[in-house]
Amino acid sequence: MGVSDVLARLAVRQAHVLVVEAAGHWLTRVAVERLTSARGWHLAVSPADADILAVCGSTGPELTRALASLWDQFPGPRARIDVASPDRAAAALEHAEAALRSTVRQEADSSARAGHGTDDGDRPPARHDDHPAAPHGDHPAAQHAGTDTGAAQSPPGGGIALAHGGEDRDGLEMDVLHVRLGPVLPAWPTGLVLRCHLHGDVIGEAQAYVVDAAQRGHAAGGHRTSKAGPDAGEFAAQRCDNVARVLALAGWSDAAGRARVVRDLLLADKRSAAVTELVRLRRQLRRSRLLRLSLRRVGPLGPGELTRLRLAPELAGDVWDRLDGMLDRADRAVSGGTGAVTALPVTSPEAVASVVSGWDVATARLIVASLDIDVLGAVSDG
């Protein structure tokens, strides 16, 4: 065993996985996240932070193009896996580990990226050689998830966006920068793209759409077209998944991990243990004065605005209120208490674009996560 093999074996112990979910495959994404944690691996927050790209479900043409651009930005050694269903997640991660450990495979991939050969064929070909492989430590993960600059925010082609002049909301001349958020971004609704016009660091205007809308199986502003919605346990698990997203973006990764544990217990039909952990999580969050102060008065929504945007009345209040509401809905759904809600209306992309205007990018991501999105409506690219 050579030095390269020893280093590869050590590196695999701390692998980072960037998980991408295709529409309708959230259970597959959850399975990959659970098994990633069980291996002692970590979830990546950007391509530069990742060793493995895990694509959950079948992607449409728009998401496929976005993934090709994303893959170009992965440093080596790297591996890509496509996971079709939850029961195939374990085998896919085994395959990724073997690929990372294979010196021959990684050397072939490196040569292919440099234009000296071809890779092994189980990943998209590199399109250009102007992205040299960078050491993992050269790209520290963003401490605040809302401040990373992953590929999803880069303009098409990987270029650097430049600001140009324009008027802000008060009619004053200032620089305007166009930034795209999504469709691949941690703690982000599946397939959502926000095109933001930044005035300084504030979003002055935004347009939203969903990639591969024709394949998502539901219509704009309506309700689920599927006759069978999730059962109470799965509905509660989805709420806990959204709670984890808010907490991760708020910078409390340990609490986010506990929310994912509750989610996984619910999906494993271990309701008694899930309820116990959910109660503990709620108590921990309510005792956190720092979290409450951080989320209070952020993204407030009144009843009138919720009606105008066709959002659920349960979303009234600020991000803190909505976080507590998600936990309450999960608790009621799994315990069968009075007033239990087991379905939420479809959230339209236009509503998402409306609520982020006037906020900086990091706060906007927090607001989007707090909307407790169950299903996104599909609209054409405007």
Side-chain angles (χ1 to χ4, degrees):
M1 180 180 296
V3 174
S4 297
D5 293 328
V6 172
L7 293 176
R9 186 179 295 274
L10 293 174
V12 166
R13 293 180 181 177
Q14 297 294 322
H16 286 60
V17 184
L18 184 63
V19 185
V20 178
E21 173 191 342
H25 292 273
W26 90 280
L27 289 175
T28 305
R29 190 253 302 167
V30 167
V32 171
E33 290 182 351
R34 175 173 52 80
L35 293 173
T36 295
S37 177
R39 283 171 163 267
W41 291 358
H42 307 279
L43 297 177
V45 298
S46 71
D49 180 45
D51 307 294
I52 299 170
L53 173 61
V55 182
C56 302
S58 301
T59 61
E62 293 177 274
L63 186 55
T64 298
R65 286 193 295 272
L67 290 175
S69 176
L70 196 76
W71 179 246
D72 278 349
Q73 299 174 52
F74 266 58
R78 60 181 185 169
R80 169 174 171 157
I81 53 175
D82 293 274
V83 189
S85 60
D87 59 332
R88 297 183 181 180
L93 291 175
E94 288 285 349
H95 177 77
E97 180 176 350
L100 287 177
R101 286 186 174 183
S102 173
T103 304
V104 173
R105 178 174 294 190
Q106 294 302 327
E107 287 179 347
D109 180 47
S110 179
S111 297
R113 300 179 80 178
H116 301 310
T118 58
D119 60 13
D120 57 7
D122 65 349
R123 57 177 68 90
R127 296 190 306 177
H128 51 75
D129 58 2
D130 56 354
H131 293 287
H136 193 83
D138 285 355
H139 299 277
Q143 295 300 310
H144 191 293
T147 60
D148 67 21
T149 54
Q153 298 183 30
S154 300
I160 299 175
L162 299 176
H164 66 272
E167 292 185 351
D168 68 0
R169 292 179 299 172
D170 299 321
L172 301 176
E173 179 76 15
M174 64 182 306
D175 288 344
V176 177
L177 182 65
H178 301 281
V179 175
R180 188 181 65 176
L181 303 180
V184 180
L185 204 57
W188 188 251
T190 303
L192 177 67
V193 175
L194 269 183
R195 289 175 172 168
C196 304
H197 302 175
L198 294 183
H199 300 156
D201 61 349
V202 174
I203 298 175
E205 183 183 356
Q207 295 89 39
Y209 70 99
V210 178
V211 297
D212 302 318
Q215 300 184 1
R216 298 175 69 87
H218 44 77
H223 299 275
R224 288 174 177 271
T225 56
S226 172
K227 294 181 179 179
D231 62 20
E234 186 177 325
F235 177 82
Q238 286 180 311
R239 309 285 72 75
C240 292
D241 190 49
N242 287 342
V243 167
R245 289 180 168 185
V246 174
L247 294 173
L249 291 172
W252 198 354
S253 56
D254 288 344
R258 294 192 65 176
R260 293 191 191 99
V261 168
V262 179
R263 175 199 66 187
D264 295 340
L265 288 171
L266 288 167
L267 291 176
D269 205 20
K270 299 178 180 178
R271 296 200 177 189
S272 177
V275 170
T276 301
E277 291 300 320
L278 183 58
V279 170
R280 290 176 179 171
L281 177 63
R282 294 191 72 177
R283 187 185 304 126
Q284 181 184 24
L285 298 185
R286 287 176 172 175
R287 286 177 176 175
S288 175
R289 189 166 180 266
L290 178 60
L291 180 67
R292 185 168 59 252
L293 291 175
S294 300
L295 303 183
R296 274 297 186 199
R297 295 184 293 279
V298 176
L301 295 171
E305 189 170 11
L306 291 173
T307 301
R308 179 177 64 83
L309 298 175
R310 298 183 180 180
L311 292 174
E314 291 85 356
L315 299 178
D318 51 27
V319 171
W320 170 260
D321 294 324
R322 291 194 285 275
L323 176 65
D324 191 58
M326 281 187 263
L327 291 165
D328 187 63
R329 283 189 287 281
D331 188 18
R332 289 175 183 271
V334 75
S335 62
T338 57
V341 177
T342 56
L344 292 174
V346 172
T347 303
S348 73
E350 294 95 332
V352 178
S354 178
V355 300
V356 301
S357 296
W359 298 93
D360 63 81
V361 172
T363 306
R365 291 184 61 186
L366 198 57
I367 294 171
V368 172
S370 75
L371 294 179
D372 196 16
I373 293 174
D374 189 14
V375 178
L376 266 175
V379 296
S380 59
D381 185 355

